[in-house]
Amino acid sequence: MNISARITDERVLDVRFDAASLIVDLMDGRTITVPLAWYPRLLHATPEQRMAWEKAGAGYGIHWPDLDEDLSTEGLLRGAPAARAN
């Protein structure tokens, strides 16, 4: 019997944007693409502010210091948009 285990690594490798999407490459080769509209702080940020990101949480998160925005790969994989302001 041959059992192969899938190896996943949900840490962030790279972050980029197109006109309508946030695109996150993971260490295991997967790419997460989500609508930029889900994250109003990123949607309304300048291109320079969007690109000023850093890894957080041992690589399982993304932090934008200038925007006070934090996202996790777990949330992105679940398809969780930003919480709406009250």
Side-chain angles (χ1 to χ4, degrees):
M1 179 191 277
N2 185 3
I3 300 173
S4 72
R6 291 191 109 164
I7 298 174
T8 62
D9 188 346
E10 296 174 358
R11 291 177 298 154
V12 175
L13 176 64
D14 193 25
V15 175
R16 60 189 192 280
F17 298 85
D18 66 19
S21 303
L22 163 64
I23 304 160
V24 180
D25 295 320
L26 302 180
M27 296 292 286
D28 62 11
R30 290 182 289 171
T31 299
I32 306 167
T33 303
V34 295
L36 197 50
W38 283 7
Y39 306 102
R41 288 183 184 151
L42 294 173
L43 178 66
H44 299 295
T46 66
E48 293 78 20
Q49 288 173 315
R50 288 181 190 156
M51 293 313 300
W53 63 274
E54 54 193 41
K55 292 179 185 180
Y60 293 95
I62 311 161
H63 176 64
W64 286 267
D66 296 339
L67 302 173
D68 192 28
E69 181 72 278
D70 295 281
L71 300 176
S72 70
T73 56
E74 189 263 335
L76 292 168
L77 286 165
R78 274 188 300 122
R84 293 188 179 264
N86 293 333

